[in-house]
Amino acid sequence: KLLLREDISDGFAVKVGSFCTVRDLSVHGSKEETPAPQEVGTRHGIAFLGTATPEDYSGQPHNSMISGCYIQGFSGGGITCTDTGYSSCSSMTVSDCHILGCGAGINISHFSEYHMFTNVMCHRCLYGCVNNGGNNVFVNCGFDSNVVGFLIDNSRKQSINDSHGSVVGCTFNHSDHNKGIGVYLRRAKNGYSFTGCQLFFSKIVLEGSENILFSAMNVGRKAQIYVDGGKLISFSDCAFAEEPEVLKVTDNALV
C-alpha cells in the first residue's frame, strides 16, 4: 500500500517512465475513503506524463503497463496520461484495475494517444473517464456510479487529433444517483464507436460531435438522449428496455 502524503497538494504518487511496469499495487490519496471532488484537481495516483506538442513529440516516455492496481482518493486522475503525443510508441496499457473516488478515474486530459484500457472499473468518481485524445481504446470497463461516466471534451481543442477510438463491452450505469450523464461528448469531430455496451439510469449527451456510432447496445430504464449540433449520429441494433424519457435532437445534420 502506497500513500501520498496528504500535505502534498499537487503532483502524483507514482510517475511511470519508459518501459515500466506497475503491478499489484494499492495507491491511496488519503488514509480514509473520500467522496469524489467537485472538480478535477492536481493530485494524481499514477501519472504517465510528457511534454509533446504537434511540432515536437520527440523524447516522450515509451510504452509502459499498469495491471492489478487499486487506486483511491485522488483529486486528479487515478491514472493520468497527458501530452505524450500521437506516437504509438508512447502508449500506456492498463488492465484489471479498480479506481475509486477520484476527480477522474482515467484522466487523459490533453494530447495523449494510443492507450488501451481493459477490465478497469472506475467507480464513484466525478468523471469515470476523461478522454481528450485520439486512438484510445476501452474494453470491458465499468464506468458506474460516477457523476459523468465517459467524457470527450474538445471544445477548447485539448487534443490536436481529437477523439476517434472505440469503447467495447463497457457499462455506464447509475450516473450521479441516476440523474447524471453516462456518455458526454463535446465537439468530438473525428468520430467514436460504442459497441456492445450497457447504459442504465444515465443520459447520453452529444454536443457538436460527428460520426458517433452506438451499436448493439442494451439501453435500460430512465435513459435520456440529447443531440445538439454536429452530424452523422447512428444508433443501430440497440435494444431499449423502455422508450427514452427524453429524445431531443437539435440542429443535427444526420441522425
Side-chain angles (χ1 to χ4, degrees), residues 90-150:
S90 295
S91 69
M92 174 74 75
T93 301
V94 180
S95 63
D96 304 311
C97 292
H98 191 150
I99 305 173
L100 173 69
C102 293
I106 298 167
N107 185 28
I108 308 171
S109 58
H110 194 272
F111 194 32
S112 195
E113 305 198 14
Y114 287 103
H115 307 307
M116 300 189 69
F117 299 84
T118 305
N119 301 337
V120 178
M121 168 60 82
C122 298
H123 180 65
R124 291 168 52 188
C125 298
L126 176 59
Y127 297 99
C129 177
V130 175
N131 177 29
N132 296 334
N135 294 303
N136 297 315
V137 176
F138 305 83
V139 180
N140 295 341
C141 293
F143 303 105
D144 299 318
S145 299
N146 306 287
V147 177
V148 175
F150 186 92

Side-chain angles (χ1 to χ4, degrees), residues 17-252:
S18 297
F19 311 121
C20 290
T21 298
V22 179
R23 181 179 298 160
D24 302 333
L25 188 64
S26 184
V27 186
H28 294 252
S30 63
K31 293 179 181 178
E32 306 295 333
E33 186 174 315
T34 55
Q38 296 298 307
E39 59 183 23
V40 179
T42 56
R43 298 178 82 247
H44 308 285
I46 301 177
F48 188 60
L49 309 176
T51 57
T53 68
E55 293 76 27
D56 179 15
Y57 59 97
S58 60
Q60 299 308 307
H62 288 79
N63 304 2
S64 290
M65 296 185 293
I66 301 170
S67 65
C69 290
Y70 177 89
I71 305 167
Q72 176 263 319
F74 291 92
S75 66
I79 296 174
T80 291
C81 305
T82 186
D83 290 324
T84 60
Y86 37 46
S87 169
S88 58
C89 294
S90 295
S91 69
M92 174 74 75
T93 301
V94 180
S95 63
D96 304 311
C97 292
H98 191 150
I99 305 173
L100 173 69
C102 293
I106 298 167
N107 185 28
I108 308 171
S109 58
H110 194 272
F111 194 32
S112 195
E113 305 198 14
Y114 287 103
H115 307 307
M116 300 189 69
F117 299 84
T118 305
N119 301 337
V120 178
M121 168 60 82
C122 298
H123 180 65
R124 291 168 52 188
C125 298
L126 176 59
Y127 297 99
C129 177
V130 175
N131 177 29
N132 296 334
N135 294 303
N136 297 315
V137 176
F138 305 83
V139 180
N140 295 341
C141 293
F143 303 105
D144 299 318
S145 299
N146 306 287
V147 177
V148 175
F150 186 92
L151 171 71
I152 295 175
D153 181 5
N154 282 307
S155 59
R156 291 176 285 112
K157 298 183 179 179
Q158 291 91 326
S159 179
I160 309 305
N161 206 13
D162 75 23
S163 60
H164 72 296
S166 60
V167 176
V168 181
C170 295
T171 61
F172 309 94
N173 290 340
H174 301 292
S175 301
D176 197 16
H177 305 286
N178 300 336
K179 303 185 299 294
I181 300 173
V183 176
Y184 189 12
L185 309 186
R186 302 186 67 196
R187 296 185 62 80
K189 293 290 190 176
N190 287 333
Y192 224 84
S193 175
F194 296 82
T195 301
C197 296
Q198 175 179 267
L199 181 140
F200 274 64
F201 296 98
S202 300
K203 302 179 182 74
I204 295 174
V205 179
L206 312 177
E207 299 175 355
S209 296
E210 302 178 8
N211 298 350
I212 309 301
L213 310 177
F214 297 91
S215 62
M217 284 186 63
N218 177 20
V219 181
R221 292 174 290 167
K222 306 294 184 182
Q224 300 180 24
I225 300 173
Y226 299 86
V227 178
D228 183 16
K231 61 184 179 182
L232 193 56
I233 309 300
S234 174
F235 289 82
S236 62
D237 299 316
C238 296
F240 289 81
E242 298 175 350
E243 181 179 349
E245 286 187 334
V246 178
L247 176 55
K248 184 175 181 181
V249 179
T250 306
D251 194 29
N252 183 269

